[in-house]
Amino acid sequence: RMTFAEVYAKGLKFAAMLQHRHGIAKGDRVGVAMRNYPEWIIAYIAIVHMGAVCIPMNAWWTAEEMAYGISDSGARLVIADEERARRLATCKCTASVITVRTASEVAAQFGFARAEDELAASPDTMWYVPELLPEDDCTIMYTSGSTGYPKGAVSTHRAQVSSAMNYLVTGLALLELSAKAGVAPAEQQVMLLNVPLFHITGLVPVLLVSMAIGRKMIIMHKWDAGEALRLIEKERCTYFVGVPTMSLELMQHPDRHKYDLSSLVDIASGGAPRPPEHVERLTREFEGKHPVQGYGLTE
């Protein structure tokens, strides 16, 4: 359990470490290769705060695909969890690697630095914070690749902020609709984080909007409909987003009616068309809730 202030402070300390220990500067490309961990968010804050360009790497990429992403983006450094670090160790990685959640023996075996050790050896604050402009590059996110290699889609700081604000305004509109329907607002908005942070949905409408409105995020280790039902009830989640199959699995799960899901207000989907019969079923199963369909492009 961490507060937004604690995560932000850890992000600034991580930025200082990247600068002091690894010479990362404005414009440098830094990869983040891990499953959804708090460290993913901390690394992202650090990278964009110092004006470097964050490369959210697909956690399902093979070693060969990771090597391509690093080479194509020109990443100088990659921050990886143990599973991704093991893959990087098997390929011709042209970038330095800092590991998180990795045993010291494992990191030493691969010749990688551990974030804990690097943070302990670094000053807590940056010696220089560059000026950031709206048109400065912020992220390079990779598309699925269709029939060829994936393409790196560049977003600026302006794009990240404006996208987050678009979703924020949409969210406020949905809250207004709920209020007019007589639904009392929750004490705190709560998001179940069940999509990858390396994807545009996880990064912008989930993470960045949560930061903007102080929406608690509950991080799932791995998607499991039964575990999602348990967490929605336990944490009183108000917002759910995933590919349409995810909300369908919630409705079809044999334990669905054992859990109180009344806290949910919006049940959103994206990444694929939501069949009309899904919408009809959602309307029946979650009376008074908003089935929302989002569409956007990594590009």
Side-chain angles (χ1 to χ4, degrees):
R1 302 273 172 175
M2 284 190 282
T3 66
F4 284 94
E6 287 168 345
V7 172
Y8 184 58
K10 287 177 181 290
L12 299 191
K13 184 171 169 57
F14 207 97
M17 178 270 287
L18 294 178
Q19 187 182 65
H20 286 280
R21 299 285 296 171
H22 296 271
I24 298 300
K26 182 177 178 178
D28 285 340
R29 283 83 185 277
V30 180
V32 178
M34 64 180 92
R35 68 162 64 243
N36 287 359
Y37 282 133
E39 288 86 351
W40 200 107
I41 299 166
I42 290 163
Y44 174 83
I45 291 170
I47 294 163
V48 300
H49 175 76
M50 63 195 306
V53 183
C54 182
I55 319 293
M57 299 177 69
N58 190 321
W60 290 304
W61 270 353
T62 63
E64 182 183 358
E65 289 170 324
M66 293 176 77
Y68 170 79
I70 291 167
S71 172
D72 184 69
S73 66
R76 283 188 53 198
L77 179 72
V78 178
I79 303 157
D81 61 12
E82 184 171 325
E83 189 177 348
R84 262 47 58 174
R86 288 182 180 276
R87 289 181 210 166
L88 288 169
T90 67
C91 66
K92 293 179 180 178
C93 180
T94 56
S96 301
V97 178
I98 299 176
T99 65
V100 301
R101 296 180 179 247
T102 305
S104 55
E105 313 83 66
V106 175
Q109 175 189 344
F110 298 140
F112 296 157
R114 290 173 76 235
E116 301 94 319
D117 301 331
E118 296 297 288
L119 287 163
S122 171
D124 289 344
T125 57
M126 295 174 64
W127 62 268
Y128 171 69
V129 180
E131 180 185 10
L132 296 183
L133 301 173
E135 298 311 320
D136 286 337
D137 292 343
C138 182
T139 60
I140 302 176
M141 305 190 84
Y142 277 83
T143 65
S144 60
S146 58
T147 58
Y149 284 109
K151 309 297 189 295
V154 182
S155 276
T156 62
H157 283 266
R158 184 195 302 277
Q160 293 275 338
V161 172
S162 65
S163 296
M165 289 299 173
N166 284 340
Y167 280 107
L168 194 154
V169 170
T170 304
L172 289 173
L174 289 171
L175 283 175
E176 184 73 13
L177 287 172
S178 295
K180 286 182 177 178
V183 179
E187 289 185 17
Q188 183 185 26
Q189 297 296 311
V190 183
M191 163 65 75
L192 183 68
L193 176 57
N194 51 274
V195 295
L197 287 166
F198 64 72
H199 188 270
I200 197 71
T201 300
L203 178 58
V204 178
V206 176
L207 175 60
L208 295 186
V209 173
S210 294
M211 288 179 171
I213 65 174
R215 180 175 61 193
K216 180 169 70 171
M217 289 194 305
I218 308 301
I219 303 178
M220 290 193 76
H221 182 73
K222 183 179 182 180
W223 170 249
D224 177 88
E227 176 67 1
L229 290 168
R230 186 187 72 81
L231 287 170
I232 291 169
E233 179 185 77
K234 179 175 183 287
E235 302 291 345
R236 306 303 295 155
C237 294
T238 60
Y239 195 94
F240 177 90
V241 63
V243 294
T245 306
M246 287 174 156
S247 50
L248 180 65
E249 287 181 2
L250 288 183
M251 292 188 288
Q252 291 181 335
H253 197 277
D255 294 337
R256 153 71 182 91
H257 295 287
K258 294 180 182 178
Y259 294 95
D260 176 10
L261 308 185
S262 60
S263 61
L264 281 176
V265 176
D266 301 313
I267 304 167
S269 69
R274 178 178 255 166
E277 55 269 24
H278 278 207
V279 179
E280 294 167 8
R281 185 168 177 178
L282 280 167
T283 304
R284 292 195 306 270
E285 289 270 350
F286 301 100
E287 190 176 349
K289 314 300 183 188
H290 302 297
V292 180
Q293 173 73 18
Y295 175 80
L297 292 171
T298 301
E299 293 86 336

